[in-house]
Amino acid sequence: MDSTSSLSRKTEELGGLSKKTQYMVETALLVAVTIIMGNTFLGTIPTPLLKVSIVTVPVALASMLIGPVAGIICGLAFGINSFIGALNGSSGLLSTLFNINPFGVFVTAVVARFLDAAVTSFVYKLIHKGKLKTASYYITGALMPLLNTAFFMGSLCLFFFNTEFVQGLAANYNATTPMAFVIGMVGVQATIEAVVGCVLGGTLAMVLSKALHRG
């Protein structure tokens, strides 16, 4: 009887370890996908007028399929990758702004992505039940890129709107206020990214949740 109980406990412990390992592997996989997409053409969908970013899709998938902490980790990976781009000069806009205010760029690149993942994960957890269960996948898929734009551009305006460089950009859109600047610069792109995130992220999350038997 004791040996049976001991075997049962060991089985449960192994099962718990297996779940932890699975959680770490899945999170690491989506972190890797996020970084790869952030550094290659895989993270964009080219259109005749602009390039639509889909880097927020794996972040949204992590939040929905693994959990809020995994989503936040992927969001931080996205942000840190952008910040590294500012440091090494591969990110034109952030690299230029880094020379003006490094702390402002850190908030814009990293903190904004952390907040995006955290808020979106919270919203998903809140609405993923009852009649909104199916809709929650598509809402989250759209919300992740929308909040990414909102937090990123909000931080950029907070730290840099009155700088000579950003005022030069704002002049191209005849924008005299931060809101007008944001709408003029990324309004169309943000809308398209939200639609793509909704369809692509939402559909992938729903299909994978069923395939992986996630609630």
Coordinates of all heavy atoms in Angstrom, one line a residue, residues 120-179:
T120 N -3.3 43.4 -22.4 CA -4.0 42.5 -23.3 C -4.2 41.1 -22.6 O -5.3 40.6 -22.8 CB -3.2 42.3 -24.6 OG1 -3.0 43.6 -25.2 CG2 -4.0 41.5 -25.6
S121 N -3.2 40.6 -21.9 CA -3.4 39.3 -21.2 C -4.5 39.4 -20.2 O -5.3 38.5 -20.0 CB -2.1 38.9 -20.6 OG -1.1 38.7 -21.5
F122 N -4.6 40.5 -19.5 CA -5.6 40.7 -18.4 C -7.0 40.8 -19.1 O -7.9 40.1 -18.6 CB -5.3 42.0 -17.7 CG -6.4 42.4 -16.7 CD1 -6.6 41.7 -15.5 CD2 -7.4 43.4 -17.1 CE1 -7.6 42.1 -14.6 CE2 -8.4 43.7 -16.2 CZ -8.5 43.0 -15.0
V123 N -7.1 41.5 -20.2 CA -8.4 41.6 -20.9 C -8.8 40.2 -21.4 O -10.0 39.8 -21.2 CB -8.3 42.6 -22.0 CG1 -9.6 42.5 -22.9 CG2 -8.1 44.0 -21.5
Y124 N -7.9 39.5 -21.9 CA -8.2 38.1 -22.4 C -8.7 37.2 -21.3 O -9.7 36.5 -21.4 CB -7.0 37.5 -23.1 CG -7.2 36.0 -23.4 CD1 -8.0 35.6 -24.5 CD2 -6.6 35.0 -22.6 CE1 -8.2 34.3 -24.8 CE2 -6.8 33.7 -22.9 CZ -7.6 33.3 -24.0 OH -7.8 32.0 -24.3
K125 N -8.0 37.2 -20.2 CA -8.4 36.4 -19.1 C -9.8 36.8 -18.5 O -10.6 36.0 -18.1 CB -7.4 36.5 -17.9 CG -7.6 35.6 -16.8 CD -6.4 35.7 -15.8 CE -6.6 34.7 -14.6 NZ -5.5 34.7 -13.7
L126 N -10.1 38.1 -18.6 CA -11.3 38.6 -18.1 C -12.5 38.2 -19.0 O -13.6 37.9 -18.5 CB -11.3 40.2 -18.0 CG -12.4 40.9 -17.4 CD1 -12.5 40.5 -15.9 CD2 -12.3 42.4 -17.6
I127 N -12.3 38.2 -20.3 CA -13.4 38.0 -21.2 C -13.5 36.5 -21.8 O -14.5 36.2 -22.4 CB -13.4 38.9 -22.4 CG1 -12.2 38.7 -23.3 CG2 -13.4 40.4 -21.9 CD1 -12.1 39.5 -24.5
H128 N -12.5 35.7 -21.5 CA -12.4 34.4 -22.0 C -13.3 33.4 -21.2 O -12.8 32.5 -20.5 CB -11.0 33.9 -22.1 CG -10.9 32.5 -22.7 ND1 -11.1 32.3 -24.1 CD2 -10.5 31.3 -22.3 CE1 -10.9 31.1 -24.4 NE2 -10.5 30.4 -23.3
K129 N -14.6 33.6 -21.3 CA -15.5 32.8 -20.6 C -16.9 33.0 -21.1 O -17.2 34.1 -21.7 CB -15.5 33.0 -19.1 CG -15.7 34.4 -18.7 CD -15.4 34.6 -17.2 CE -15.5 36.1 -16.8 NZ -15.2 36.3 -15.3
G130 N -17.8 32.1 -20.9 CA -19.1 32.2 -21.3 C -19.3 32.4 -22.8 O -18.6 31.8 -23.7
K131 N -20.2 33.3 -23.2 CA -20.5 33.6 -24.6 C -19.4 34.3 -25.3 O -19.4 34.3 -26.5 CB -21.8 34.5 -24.6 CG -23.0 33.8 -24.1 CD -24.2 34.7 -24.2 CE -25.5 34.0 -23.7 NZ -26.7 34.8 -23.8
L132 N -18.4 34.9 -24.6 CA -17.3 35.6 -25.2 C -16.1 34.8 -25.5 O -15.1 35.3 -25.9 CB -16.9 36.8 -24.4 CG -17.9 38.0 -24.4 CD1 -17.4 39.1 -23.4 CD2 -18.1 38.6 -25.8
K133 N -16.2 33.5 -25.2 CA -15.0 32.6 -25.3 C -14.4 32.6 -26.7 O -13.2 32.8 -26.8 CB -15.4 31.2 -24.9 CG -14.2 30.3 -24.9 CD -14.5 28.9 -24.3 CE -13.3 28.0 -24.2 NZ -13.6 26.7 -23.7
T134 N -15.2 32.4 -27.7 CA -14.7 32.4 -29.1 C -14.3 33.8 -29.5 O -13.2 34.0 -30.1 CB -15.8 31.9 -30.0 OG1 -16.2 30.5 -29.7 CG2 -15.3 31.9 -31.5
A135 N -15.1 34.8 -29.2 CA -14.8 36.1 -29.6 C -13.5 36.6 -28.9 O -12.8 37.5 -29.5 CB -16.0 37.1 -29.2
S136 N -13.2 36.1 -27.7 CA -12.0 36.6 -27.0 C -10.7 36.4 -27.8 O -9.8 37.2 -27.6 CB -11.9 35.9 -25.6 OG -11.7 34.5 -25.8
Y137 N -10.7 35.3 -28.6 CA -9.5 35.1 -29.4 C -9.3 36.3 -30.4 O -8.2 36.8 -30.6 CB -9.6 33.8 -30.2 CG -9.7 32.6 -29.3 CD1 -10.8 31.7 -29.3 CD2 -8.7 32.2 -28.4 CE1 -10.9 30.6 -28.5 CE2 -8.7 31.1 -27.6 CZ -9.9 30.3 -27.7 OH -9.9 29.2 -26.9
Y138 N -10.4 36.6 -31.0 CA -10.3 37.7 -32.1 C -10.1 39.1 -31.5 O -9.4 39.9 -32.0 CB -11.5 37.6 -33.0 CG -11.6 36.3 -33.7 CD1 -12.3 35.3 -33.3 CD2 -10.9 36.2 -34.9 CE1 -12.4 34.0 -34.0 CE2 -10.9 35.0 -35.6 CZ -11.7 33.9 -35.2 OH -11.7 32.7 -35.8
I139 N -10.8 39.3 -30.3 CA -10.6 40.6 -29.6 C -9.1 40.7 -29.2 O -8.5 41.8 -29.3 CB -11.5 40.6 -28.4 CG1 -13.0 40.7 -28.9 CG2 -11.2 41.9 -27.5 CD1 -14.0 40.6 -27.8
T140 N -8.6 39.7 -28.6 CA -7.2 39.7 -28.2 C -6.2 39.9 -29.3 O -5.3 40.7 -29.3 CB -6.8 38.4 -27.4 OG1 -7.7 38.3 -26.3 CG2 -5.4 38.5 -26.8
G141 N -6.5 39.2 -30.4 CA -5.7 39.3 -31.6 C -5.6 40.7 -32.2 O -4.6 41.2 -32.6
A142 N -6.8 41.4 -32.1 CA -6.8 42.8 -32.5 C -6.3 43.8 -31.5 O -5.6 44.8 -31.8 CB -8.3 43.2 -32.9
L143 N -6.5 43.5 -30.2 CA -6.1 44.4 -29.2 C -4.6 44.5 -29.0 O -4.1 45.6 -28.7 CB -6.7 44.0 -27.8 CG -6.7 45.0 -26.7 CD1 -7.4 46.3 -27.0 CD2 -7.3 44.3 -25.4
M144 N -3.9 43.4 -29.2 CA -2.4 43.4 -29.0 C -1.7 44.4 -29.9 O -1.0 45.3 -29.5 CB -1.9 42.0 -29.2 CG -0.4 41.8 -28.8 SD -0.1 42.0 -27.0 CE -0.6 40.3 -26.5
P145 N -2.0 44.4 -31.2 CA -1.3 45.5 -32.1 C -1.9 46.9 -31.8 O -1.1 47.8 -31.9 CB -1.7 45.0 -33.5 CG -2.8 44.1 -33.4 CD -2.7 43.4 -32.1
L146 N -3.2 47.0 -31.5 CA -3.7 48.3 -31.2 C -3.0 48.9 -30.0 O -2.6 50.1 -30.0 CB -5.2 48.2 -31.0 CG -6.1 48.3 -32.2 CD1 -7.6 48.1 -31.8 CD2 -5.9 49.6 -33.0
L147 N -2.9 48.2 -28.9 CA -2.3 48.7 -27.7 C -0.8 48.9 -27.9 O -0.2 49.8 -27.3 CB -2.6 47.8 -26.5 CG -4.0 47.8 -26.0 CD1 -4.1 46.9 -24.7 CD2 -4.4 49.2 -25.7
N148 N -0.2 48.0 -28.7 CA 1.2 48.2 -29.0 C 1.4 49.6 -29.7 O 2.4 50.3 -29.3 CB 1.7 47.1 -30.0 CG 3.1 47.3 -30.4 OD1 4.0 47.4 -29.6 ND2 3.3 47.5 -31.7
T149 N 0.6 49.9 -30.6 CA 0.7 51.2 -31.3 C 0.4 52.4 -30.3 O 1.1 53.4 -30.2 CB -0.3 51.3 -32.5 OG1 0.1 50.3 -33.4 CG2 -0.2 52.7 -33.1
A150 N -0.6 52.2 -29.5 CA -1.0 53.2 -28.5 C 0.1 53.5 -27.5 O 0.4 54.7 -27.2 CB -2.3 52.8 -27.8
F151 N 0.6 52.4 -26.9 CA 1.7 52.6 -25.9 C 3.0 53.1 -26.5 O 3.7 54.0 -25.9 CB 1.9 51.3 -25.1 CG 0.8 51.0 -24.1 CD1 0.2 49.8 -24.1 CD2 0.4 51.9 -23.2 CE1 -0.9 49.5 -23.2 CE2 -0.6 51.7 -22.3 CZ -1.3 50.4 -22.3
F152 N 3.3 52.6 -27.6 CA 4.6 53.0 -28.3 C 4.5 54.4 -28.7 O 5.4 55.2 -28.4 CB 4.8 52.1 -29.5 CG 6.1 52.4 -30.3 CD1 7.2 51.8 -30.0 CD2 6.1 53.3 -31.3 CE1 8.4 52.1 -30.7 CE2 7.2 53.6 -32.0 CZ 8.4 53.0 -31.7
M153 N 3.5 54.8 -29.4 CA 3.4 56.2 -29.9 C 3.1 57.2 -28.7 O 3.5 58.3 -28.8 CB 2.3 56.3 -31.0 CG 2.6 55.6 -32.3 SD 4.1 56.1 -33.1 CE 3.7 57.9 -33.4
G154 N 2.4 56.7 -27.7 CA 2.1 57.5 -26.6 C 3.4 57.9 -25.9 O 3.7 59.0 -25.5
S155 N 4.3 56.9 -25.7 CA 5.6 57.1 -25.0 C 6.5 58.0 -25.9 O 7.2 58.8 -25.4 CB 6.3 55.7 -24.8 OG 5.5 54.9 -23.9
L156 N 6.4 57.7 -27.2 CA 7.2 58.5 -28.1 C 6.8 60.0 -28.1 O 7.7 60.9 -28.0 CB 7.1 58.0 -29.6 CG 8.0 58.6 -30.6 CD1 8.3 57.5 -31.7 CD2 7.4 59.8 -31.3
C157 N 5.5 60.2 -28.0 CA 5.1 61.6 -27.9 C 5.4 62.2 -26.6 O 5.8 63.4 -26.5 CB 3.6 61.7 -28.2 SG 3.1 61.4 -29.9
L158 N 5.3 61.4 -25.5 CA 5.6 61.9 -24.2 C 7.0 62.4 -24.1 O 7.3 63.5 -23.5 CB 5.3 60.8 -23.2 CG 5.7 61.1 -21.7 CD1 4.8 62.3 -21.2 CD2 5.5 59.9 -20.8
F159 N 8.0 61.7 -24.6 CA 9.4 62.0 -24.5 C 10.0 62.8 -25.6 O 10.9 63.5 -25.4 CB 10.2 60.7 -24.3 CG 10.0 60.0 -23.0 CD1 9.1 58.9 -22.9 CD2 10.7 60.4 -21.9 CE1 9.0 58.2 -21.7 CE2 10.5 59.8 -20.7 CZ 9.6 58.7 -20.6
F160 N 9.4 62.7 -26.8 CA 10.1 63.3 -28.0 C 9.2 64.2 -28.8 O 9.8 64.8 -29.8 CB 10.5 62.1 -28.9 CG 11.5 61.2 -28.2 CD1 11.0 59.9 -27.8 CD2 12.8 61.5 -28.0 CE1 11.9 59.0 -27.1 CE2 13.7 60.6 -27.3 CZ 13.2 59.4 -26.9
F161 N 7.9 64.4 -28.5 CA 7.1 65.2 -29.4 C 7.7 66.6 -29.6 O 7.6 67.2 -30.7 CB 5.7 65.3 -29.0 CG 4.8 66.1 -29.9 CD1 4.4 65.5 -31.1 CD2 4.3 67.3 -29.6 CE1 3.6 66.2 -32.0 CE2 3.5 68.0 -30.5 CZ 3.1 67.5 -31.7
N162 N 8.2 67.2 -28.6 CA 8.7 68.6 -28.7 C 10.2 68.7 -29.2 O 10.7 69.8 -29.2 CB 8.6 69.3 -27.3 CG 7.1 69.6 -27.0 OD1 6.3 69.9 -27.8 ND2 6.8 69.4 -25.7
T163 N 10.7 67.6 -29.5 CA 12.1 67.6 -30.1 C 12.1 68.1 -31.5 O 11.1 67.9 -32.2 CB 12.8 66.3 -30.0 OG1 12.1 65.3 -30.8 CG2 12.8 65.7 -28.5
E164 N 13.2 68.6 -32.0 CA 13.3 69.1 -33.3 C 13.1 68.0 -34.4 O 12.4 68.2 -35.4 CB 14.7 69.7 -33.6 CG 14.9 70.3 -34.9 CD 16.2 71.0 -35.1 OE1 17.0 71.1 -34.1 OE2 16.6 71.3 -36.3
F165 N 13.6 66.8 -34.1 CA 13.4 65.7 -35.0 C 12.0 65.3 -35.2 O 11.5 65.2 -36.3 CB 14.2 64.5 -34.5 CG 14.1 63.3 -35.3 CD1 14.7 63.2 -36.6 CD2 13.3 62.2 -34.9 CE1 14.5 62.0 -37.4 CE2 13.1 61.0 -35.7 CZ 13.7 61.0 -36.9
V166 N 11.2 65.1 -34.1 CA 9.8 64.7 -34.2 C 9.0 65.8 -34.8 O 8.0 65.6 -35.5 CB 9.3 64.2 -32.9 CG1 7.8 63.9 -32.9 CG2 10.0 62.9 -32.5
Q167 N 9.3 67.0 -34.4 CA 8.6 68.2 -35.0 C 8.7 68.2 -36.5 O 7.8 68.6 -37.2 CB 9.0 69.5 -34.3 CG 8.5 69.7 -32.9 CD 7.0 69.9 -32.9 OE1 6.4 70.7 -33.7 NE2 6.3 69.1 -32.1
G168 N 9.9 67.8 -37.0 CA 10.1 67.7 -38.4 C 9.2 66.7 -39.1 O 8.7 66.9 -40.1
L169 N 9.1 65.5 -38.4 CA 8.2 64.5 -38.9 C 6.7 65.0 -38.8 O 6.0 64.7 -39.8 CB 8.3 63.2 -38.0 CG 9.7 62.5 -38.1 CD1 9.6 61.3 -37.1 CD2 10.0 62.0 -39.5
A170 N 6.4 65.6 -37.7 CA 5.0 66.1 -37.6 C 4.6 67.1 -38.7 O 3.5 67.1 -39.1 CB 4.8 66.7 -36.2
A171 N 5.6 67.9 -39.1 CA 5.3 68.9 -40.1 C 4.9 68.2 -41.4 O 4.2 68.8 -42.2 CB 6.6 69.8 -40.3
N172 N 5.4 67.0 -41.7 CA 5.1 66.3 -42.9 C 3.6 66.0 -43.0 O 3.0 65.7 -44.0 CB 5.9 65.0 -43.0 CG 7.4 65.3 -43.2 OD1 7.8 66.3 -43.8 ND2 8.2 64.4 -42.7
Y173 N 3.0 65.9 -41.8 CA 1.5 65.6 -41.7 C 0.7 66.8 -41.3 O -0.5 66.6 -41.0 CB 1.3 64.4 -40.7 CG 2.1 63.2 -41.0 CD1 3.3 63.0 -40.4 CD2 1.7 62.3 -42.0 CE1 4.1 61.8 -40.6 CE2 2.4 61.1 -42.3 CZ 3.6 60.9 -41.6 OH 4.4 59.8 -41.9
N174 N 1.3 67.9 -41.3 CA 0.7 69.2 -40.8 C 0.0 69.0 -39.4 O -1.1 69.5 -39.2 CB -0.4 69.6 -41.8 CG 0.1 70.0 -43.2 OD1 1.2 70.7 -43.3 ND2 -0.5 69.5 -44.3
A175 N 0.7 68.2 -38.6 CA 0.2 67.9 -37.3 C 0.8 68.9 -36.2 O 2.0 69.0 -36.1 CB 0.6 66.5 -36.9
T176 N -0.1 69.5 -35.5 CA 0.4 70.5 -34.5 C 0.1 69.9 -33.1 O 0.6 70.5 -32.1 CB -0.4 71.8 -34.6 OG1 -1.8 71.5 -34.5 CG2 -0.1 72.5 -36.0
T177 N -0.5 68.8 -33.0 CA -0.8 68.1 -31.7 C -0.3 66.7 -31.7 O -0.2 66.1 -32.8 CB -2.3 68.1 -31.3 OG1 -3.0 67.3 -32.2 CG2 -2.8 69.6 -31.3
P178 N 0.0 66.1 -30.6 CA 0.4 64.7 -30.6 C -0.6 63.8 -31.2 O -0.2 62.8 -31.9 CB 0.6 64.4 -29.1 CG 1.0 65.7 -28.5 CD 0.2 66.7 -29.2
M179 N -1.9 64.0 -30.9 CA -2.9 63.1 -31.4 C -2.9 63.2 -33.0 O -3.0 62.1 -33.7 CB -4.3 63.5 -30.9 CG -5.4 62.6 -31.4 SD -5.2 60.9 -30.9 CE -5.6 61.0 -29.2

